Amino acid sequence: MSLSDIAADALSIERRTDGAVLVRVRSRERNGSRAPDAVFAFRVGDPQYRYWDERLRARENPPQS
């Protein structure tokens, strides 16, 4: 599964008070049950931090038309 396979409403991104970017992927219901959400935290220096920080900033500051 790739990031493009994840529905936009199943993904949330937020910044913790310590500056880390928290990415939560909500699980889908299957056969009447749901697995726990997947939660990832990225800090400065982590290989994926810059990508998720940019995604969060884009959500916080959408382009003006």
Side-chain angles (χ1 to χ4, degrees):
M1 177 181 285
S2 71
L3 184 58
S4 61
D5 295 330
I6 299 171
D9 63 340
L11 185 68
S12 69
I13 309 170
E14 61 190 74
R15 188 172 314 281
R16 293 191 325 205
T17 57
D18 66 357
V21 175
L22 190 72
V23 179
R24 180 181 310 272
V25 182
R26 289 180 206 85
S27 66
R28 293 183 283 176
E29 188 173 319
R30 289 191 178 158
N31 300 324
S33 64
R34 182 181 296 261
D37 294 347
V39 182
F40 306 92
F42 300 100
R43 294 171 185 82
V44 173
D46 289 340
Q48 294 186 32
Y49 174 82
R50 185 173 178 204
Y51 172 82
W52 290 109
D53 180 61
E54 289 175 2
R55 293 269 313 251
L56 177 59
R57 289 175 190 270
R59 287 185 176 195
E60 291 173 337
N61 303 306
Q64 302 290 325
S65 355

